[in-house]
Amino acid sequence: MRQALAVLGAEAAGAPGRAGVPAAVAVELVHTFSLLHDDIMDGDEARRGRPTVWKAYGAGPAVLAGDALFALAVEVLAAAPAGPRAVRTLSAALGDLVRGQADDLLFAARPWTGPRRVRPAEYRAMAEHKTGALLGCAGALGALLGGADPATVAALDRAGRHLGIAFQIADDVLGIWGDPAVTGKPVHGDLREGKKTYPVLAALAGADAPARRLAAVLEAPAAPAQRWREAAALIDAAGGRSAALTEARRHMAAVADALADASLRTPAVEELRSLLDFLVRRDL
């Protein structure tokens, strides 16, 4: 998806799609680098049904491999037309990505309820940085390398950031109710790690019996398998799943608005909308 956004960003600026290829390569390298480090931080032993890099080769080699991928991404962009501007754009996005990842880690240590609980607005800011920054960067970089004006570059960045929030929320839903055989992730993995995902936050915001019971289940010790199965059922009963899907669709609508506001070439806009529709069908 990130590579497609970069190539379509160039085409939306009126340039050939190949103008966005350096951006596509760079964002994919950065994305892979972030996954290598993310798996280490989360302690995930499997991704897409295969051992993660740190599990197969050790944490040290995995960190170094991620660093090498990032260095290569910078090298690819620096050699492209408008290289200095492109590298600055990627660097800013990476700063946001790191900030979002840091917030995600800090959220796990905060309580489920009470004055220090994680609010939905904090979650949205985290998701925009952690996931949306690189998606926005992909489209913006492609447009930048394609010679787009600043308003078009900014519109594609804004669209990607809203897309990232929607994508992250959809990923949260799959993390609780998705089939591990399809998602490649362990069942209830986010719940076991104490991650403050949107369905959980939305469910805890309610005042009905399922929400109160959910808070008690999350805060009380129990046999792991039993605890997470019950929590998943209570999140659904408290409206967490439906609220998450509604919020994701709201950000999908914001993506469409951003695309409508930009001075984009029609064929590329249709391709971008098709990509949006694919995401809706696949994850929501």
Side-chain angles (χ1 to χ4, degrees):
M1 182 172 59
R2 292 162 188 82
Q3 304 97 307
L5 285 172
V7 172
L8 290 172
E11 293 180 351
R18 64 179 177 273
V21 169
V25 173
V27 295
E28 182 58 20
L29 288 169
V30 168
H31 175 59
T32 306
F33 137 71
S34 72
L35 294 181
L36 264 62
H37 287 194
D38 191 49
D39 287 338
I40 296 170
M41 288 183 284
D42 291 345
D44 289 340
E45 299 184 357
R47 181 175 288 276
R48 304 298 179 192
R50 300 178 64 184
T52 51
V53 175
W54 77 266
K55 184 63 178 177
Y57 302 103
V63 169
L64 290 174
D67 293 345
L69 290 171
F70 173 63
L72 185 57
V74 173
E75 181 181 345
V76 168
L77 271 189
R85 290 172 59 202
V87 170
R88 285 196 298 271
T89 299
L90 180 66
S91 178
L94 182 60
D96 279 347
L97 188 155
V98 171
R99 176 182 174 186
Q101 182 66 54
D103 284 342
D104 195 28
L105 288 174
L106 291 172
F107 287 175
R110 288 169 60 178
W112 292 105
T113 59
R116 291 187 61 247
R117 70 187 184 278
V118 179
R119 267 68 171 187
E122 293 178 279
Y123 172 98
R124 286 190 290 270
M126 178 276 295
E128 178 188 335
H129 292 140
K130 178 183 175 182
T131 305
L134 195 56
L135 289 171
C137 179
L141 275 178
L144 176 62
L145 297 185
D149 60 85
T152 298
V153 173
L156 287 170
D157 180 71
R158 186 166 66 254
R161 286 173 179 267
H162 281 291
L163 180 61
I165 297 173
F167 190 85
Q168 186 63 58
I169 293 174
D171 196 56
D172 289 348
V173 172
L174 292 173
I176 298 175
W177 296 284
D179 181 355
V182 176
T183 64
K185 298 179 180 181
V187 65
H188 302 150
D190 288 350
L191 287 173
R192 287 199 306 273
E193 293 166 15
K195 285 193 172 182
K196 307 303 189 292
T197 59
Y198 198 91
V200 182
L201 299 180
L204 289 172
D208 54 7
R212 293 193 299 272
R213 174 58 184 163
L214 173 62
V217 168
L218 292 173
E219 292 172 341
Q226 174 189 350
R227 179 183 184 184
W228 307 131
R229 281 197 300 269
E230 183 180 5
L234 288 167
I235 294 165
D236 202 3
R241 190 198 315 224
S242 61
L245 296 180
T246 297
E247 183 69 11
R249 293 189 178 102
R250 185 174 74 83
H251 286 282
M252 291 293 191
V255 173
D257 290 342
L259 295 179
D261 289 343
S263 300
L264 303 175
R265 304 301 169 93
T266 302
V269 173
E270 293 306 315
E271 291 286 349
L272 285 166
R273 286 174 178 160
S274 295
L275 187 62
L276 169 61
D277 290 341
F278 166 76
L279 182 62
V280 173
R281 290 195 304 269
R282 178 181 182 274
D283 286 342
L284 300 182

